Amino acid sequence: MIVFEGDIPEKEALNDTPKEFDEDEDQGIGSKDGLDYVFSHYFGIFLTSTALFLGYCIYKRNDPWINPQIVLPGYVSGLFWGIAQSSFFVANDNLSQAVSFPIITMLPGCIASAWSILYFREITGHRNFIILAVAMTITLCGAAMVGLSKTLSF
């Protein structure tokens, strides 16, 4: 599936494009609430992944190889992604895409780095910790500045 989706940051920006286009057209047809678009978004993902899996099953002549140890973690990570994606829709409603997109692209790298240090122990050495601390500080300051640049109205 990564072949079709690609590992490009632009895909995050395109997630909210139909909703933003509908709101910008000023025709009054679409909803202003981002959560109204979640079902169609997820259903499209479900149909695409189902079609790709069926294609894989046909290619493997109905003998797909599935590692049973990754099924449950796959579902759990999908649930986490679904919650995060719904939160992204809510963030776009409250902050706008210009503010929420930089935040949502910066912070996952910090979280992955924290996992690399605290759980997987992939990052070692005093010099590497200092470089990572400087990078994470700059990233977090940038995310905070972008977040504070928009005045919120509730």
Side-chain angles (χ1 to χ4, degrees):
M1 288 177 46
I2 196 69
V3 171
F4 295 102
E5 185 179 65
D7 193 21
I8 53 175
E10 290 83 9
K11 71 180 183 238
E12 285 295 330
L14 296 176
N15 279 339
D16 207 35
T17 301
K19 181 182 95 59
E20 292 292 323
F21 177 76
D22 199 20
E23 288 177 4
D24 290 343
E25 284 302 299
D26 211 15
Q27 298 176 4
I29 326 173
S31 171
K32 300 288 184 194
D33 186 14
L35 292 178
D36 291 341
Y37 297 89
V38 168
F39 175 75
S40 62
H41 184 74
Y42 292 167
F43 191 64
I45 293 168
F46 172 74
L47 289 178
T48 303
S49 61
T50 301
L52 290 172
F53 183 70
L54 288 175
Y56 172 68
C57 289
I58 291 169
Y59 174 76
K60 295 293 279 182
R61 298 190 190 331
N62 200 23
D63 189 27
W65 186 83
I66 302 170
N67 184 350
Q69 293 178 333
I70 64 169
V71 173
L72 186 60
Y75 277 112
V76 171
S77 67
L79 287 173
F80 285 160
W81 177 85
I83 292 167
Q85 192 65 33
S86 297
S87 300
F88 183 42
F89 280 118
V90 171
N92 280 339
D93 285 342
N94 293 314
L95 297 174
S96 84
Q97 233 178 355
V99 175
S100 62
F101 179 71
I103 294 172
I104 202 167
T105 55
M106 286 190 274
L107 295 182
C110 292
I111 293 169
S113 297
W115 274 99
S116 293
I117 294 170
L118 301 172
Y119 183 73
F120 294 111
R121 310 263 187 232
E122 296 170 328
I123 300 173
T124 57
H126 185 68
R127 182 176 182 271
N128 293 335
F129 285 138
I130 291 173
I131 292 171
L132 184 62
V134 169
M136 286 179 80
T137 301
I138 292 170
T139 300
L140 293 174
C141 287
M145 284 190 241
V146 168
L148 294 173
S149 69
K150 173 83 174 182
T151 57
L152 297 177
S153 58
F154 293 100

